[in-house]
Coordinates of all heavy atoms in Angstrom, one line a residue:
M1 N -21.0 -12.3 -15.7 CA -20.5 -12.0 -14.4 C -19.5 -10.8 -14.5 O -19.4 -10.0 -13.6 CB -19.8 -13.2 -13.8 CG -19.3 -13.0 -12.4 SD -20.8 -12.9 -11.3 CE -20.0 -12.8 -9.8
L2 N -18.7 -10.8 -15.5 CA -17.8 -9.7 -15.7 C -18.4 -8.3 -15.8 O -18.0 -7.3 -15.3 CB -16.9 -10.0 -17.0 CG -15.8 -9.0 -17.2 CD1 -14.8 -9.0 -16.0 CD2 -15.0 -9.4 -18.5
K3 N -19.6 -8.3 -16.5 CA -20.3 -7.1 -16.7 C -20.8 -6.5 -15.3 O -20.7 -5.3 -15.0 CB -21.5 -7.3 -17.6 CG -22.2 -6.0 -18.0 CD -23.3 -6.3 -19.0 CE -24.0 -5.1 -19.5 NZ -25.0 -5.3 -20.5
L4 N -21.3 -7.4 -14.5 CA -21.7 -7.1 -13.1 C -20.6 -6.5 -12.3 O -20.7 -5.6 -11.5 CB -22.4 -8.2 -12.4 CG -23.0 -8.0 -11.1 CD1 -24.1 -6.9 -11.2 CD2 -23.6 -9.2 -10.5
K5 N -19.4 -7.2 -12.4 CA -18.2 -6.8 -11.7 C -17.8 -5.3 -12.1 O -17.5 -4.5 -11.3 CB -17.1 -7.7 -12.0 CG -16.0 -7.7 -11.0 CD -15.0 -8.8 -11.3 CE -14.3 -9.3 -10.1 NZ -13.4 -10.3 -10.3
N6 N -17.8 -5.1 -13.4 CA -17.5 -3.7 -13.9 C -18.5 -2.7 -13.4 O -18.1 -1.6 -13.1 CB -17.4 -3.7 -15.4 CG -16.2 -4.4 -16.0 OD1 -15.2 -4.6 -15.2 ND2 -16.2 -4.9 -17.2
L7 N -19.7 -3.1 -13.4 CA -20.8 -2.2 -12.9 C -20.6 -1.8 -11.5 O -20.7 -0.7 -11.1 CB -22.2 -2.8 -13.1 CG -23.4 -1.9 -12.7 CD1 -23.4 -0.7 -13.6 CD2 -24.6 -2.7 -12.9
F8 N -20.2 -2.8 -10.7 CA -19.9 -2.6 -9.3 C -18.7 -1.7 -9.1 O -18.7 -0.8 -8.2 CB -19.8 -3.9 -8.5 CG -19.5 -3.7 -7.0 CD1 -20.6 -3.3 -6.2 CD2 -18.3 -3.9 -6.5 CE1 -20.4 -3.1 -4.9 CE2 -18.1 -3.7 -5.1 CZ -19.1 -3.3 -4.3
K9 N -17.7 -1.9 -9.9 CA -16.5 -1.0 -9.8 C -16.8 0.4 -10.1 O -16.4 1.3 -9.4 CB -15.4 -1.5 -10.7 CG -14.6 -2.7 -10.2 CD -13.5 -3.1 -11.2 CE -12.8 -4.3 -10.7 NZ -11.7 -4.7 -11.7
K10 N -17.6 0.6 -11.1 CA -18.0 2.0 -11.5 C -18.8 2.6 -10.4 O -18.7 3.8 -10.1 CB -18.8 2.0 -12.8 CG -18.0 1.8 -14.0 CD -18.9 1.9 -15.3 CE -18.1 1.6 -16.5 NZ -18.9 1.6 -17.7
F11 N -19.7 1.9 -9.8 CA -20.6 2.4 -8.8 C -19.8 2.7 -7.5 O -20.0 3.8 -6.9 CB -21.7 1.3 -8.4 CG -22.6 1.8 -7.3 CD1 -23.5 2.7 -7.5 CD2 -22.4 1.2 -6.0 CE1 -24.4 3.1 -6.5 CE2 -23.2 1.6 -5.0 CZ -24.2 2.6 -5.2
S12 N -18.8 1.9 -7.2 CA -18.1 2.2 -5.9 C -17.1 3.3 -6.1 O -16.6 3.9 -5.2 CB -17.3 0.9 -5.5 OG -16.4 0.5 -6.5
A13 N -16.7 3.6 -7.4 CA -15.7 4.7 -7.7 C -16.4 6.0 -7.8 O -15.8 7.1 -7.7 CB -14.9 4.4 -8.9
A14 N -17.7 6.0 -8.0 CA -18.4 7.3 -8.2 C -18.5 8.1 -6.9 O -18.8 7.5 -5.9 CB -19.8 7.0 -8.7
E15 N -18.2 9.3 -7.0 CA -18.1 10.2 -5.8 C -19.2 11.2 -5.7 O -19.3 12.0 -4.8 CB -16.8 10.8 -5.6 CG -15.7 9.8 -5.4 CD -14.3 10.5 -5.1 OE1 -14.3 11.7 -5.0 OE2 -13.3 9.7 -5.0
A16 N -20.0 11.4 -6.8 CA -21.0 12.4 -6.8 C -22.0 12.3 -5.7 O -22.4 13.3 -5.1 CB -21.7 12.4 -8.2
G17 N -22.4 11.1 -5.4 CA -23.4 10.9 -4.3 C -22.8 11.3 -3.0 O -23.5 11.8 -2.1
A18 N -21.5 10.9 -2.8 CA -20.9 11.2 -1.5 C -20.8 12.7 -1.3 O -20.9 13.2 -0.2 CB -19.5 10.5 -1.5
V19 N -20.5 13.4 -2.3 CA -20.4 14.9 -2.2 C -21.7 15.5 -1.8 O -21.8 16.4 -1.0 CB -19.9 15.5 -3.5 CG1 -19.9 17.0 -3.4 CG2 -18.4 15.1 -3.8
T20 N -22.8 15.0 -2.4 CA -24.1 15.4 -2.1 C -24.5 15.1 -0.6 O -25.0 16.0 0.1 CB -25.2 14.7 -3.0 OG1 -24.8 15.0 -4.4 CG2 -26.6 15.2 -2.7
V21 N -24.1 14.0 -0.2 CA -24.4 13.6 1.2 C -23.6 14.5 2.2 O -24.1 15.0 3.2 CB -24.0 12.1 1.5 CG1 -24.1 11.8 3.0 CG2 -25.0 11.2 0.7
D22 N -22.4 14.8 1.8 CA -21.6 15.7 2.6 C -22.2 17.1 2.7 O -22.3 17.7 3.8 CB -20.2 15.9 2.0 CG -19.3 14.7 2.2 OD1 -19.7 13.8 3.0 OD2 -18.3 14.6 1.5
W23 N -22.7 17.6 1.6 CA -23.3 18.9 1.6 C -24.6 18.9 2.4 O -25.0 19.9 3.1 CB -23.6 19.4 0.2 CG -22.4 20.1 -0.4 CD1 -21.6 19.6 -1.3 CD2 -21.9 21.4 0.0 NE1 -20.6 20.5 -1.6 CE2 -20.7 21.6 -0.8 CE3 -22.2 22.4 0.9 CZ2 -20.0 22.7 -0.7 CZ3 -21.5 23.5 1.0 CH2 -20.3 23.7 0.2
V24 N -25.4 17.9 2.4 CA -26.6 17.8 3.1 C -26.3 17.7 4.6 O -27.0 18.4 5.4 CB -27.4 16.5 2.7 CG1 -28.5 16.2 3.7 CG2 -28.0 16.7 1.3
V25 N -25.3 17.0 5.0 CA -24.9 16.9 6.4 C -24.4 18.3 6.9 O -24.8 18.8 8.0 CB -23.8 15.8 6.7 CG1 -23.2 15.9 8.0 CG2 -24.4 14.5 6.4
L26 N -23.6 19.0 6.1 CA -23.1 20.3 6.4 C -24.2 21.3 6.5 O -24.3 22.1 7.5 CB -22.1 20.7 5.3 CG -21.5 22.1 5.6 CD1 -20.6 22.1 6.9 CD2 -20.6 22.5 4.4
A27 N -25.2 21.3 5.6 CA -26.3 22.2 5.7 C -27.2 21.9 6.9 O -27.6 22.9 7.6 CB -27.2 22.1 4.4
A28 N -27.4 20.7 7.3 CA -28.1 20.3 8.5 C -27.4 20.8 9.7 O -28.1 21.3 10.7 CB -28.4 18.8 8.5
A29 N -26.1 20.7 9.7 CA -25.4 21.2 10.9 C -25.5 22.7 11.0 O -25.6 23.3 12.1 CB -23.9 20.8 10.8
V30 N -25.4 23.4 9.9 CA -25.5 24.9 9.9 C -26.9 25.3 10.4 O -27.1 26.2 11.2 CB -25.2 25.5 8.5 CG1 -25.6 27.0 8.4 CG2 -23.8 25.3 8.2
V31 N -28.0 24.6 9.9 CA -29.3 25.0 10.4 C -29.5 24.7 11.9 O -30.1 25.5 12.6 CB -30.4 24.2 9.5 CG1 -31.7 24.3 10.2 CG2 -30.4 24.7 8.1
G32 N -29.0 23.6 12.3 CA -29.1 23.2 13.7 C -28.3 24.2 14.6 O -28.8 24.6 15.7
L33 N -27.1 24.6 14.2 CA -26.3 25.5 15.0 C -27.0 26.9 15.0 O -27.0 27.6 16.0 CB -24.9 25.7 14.4 CG -24.0 26.5 15.1 CD1 -23.7 26.0 16.5 CD2 -22.6 26.6 14.4
S34 N -27.6 27.3 13.9 CA -28.3 28.6 13.8 C -29.5 28.6 14.7 O -29.8 29.6 15.4 CB -28.8 28.8 12.4 OG -27.7 28.9 11.5
A35 N -30.2 27.5 14.8 CA -31.3 27.4 15.8 C -30.9 27.5 17.2 O -31.5 28.2 18.0 CB -32.1 26.1 15.6

């Protein structure tokens, strides 16, 4: 159970995916505004 708890902590602390999502949303907004 401790291993699963540590895995969840690492997953929730990772920000690389959040940054990617931010860039995708920003790029979509730029494309929409350009259109």
Side-chain angles (χ1 to χ4, degrees):
M1 185 69 176
L2 185 60
K3 189 174 183 180
L4 185 60
K5 197 177 214 181
N6 288 338
L7 182 63
F8 182 71
K9 280 184 182 180
K10 285 182 184 180
F11 178 75
S12 64
E15 294 184 7
V19 172
T20 302
V21 171
D22 288 345
W23 276 107
V24 168
V25 171
L26 182 62
V30 168
V31 169
L33 185 60
S34 298

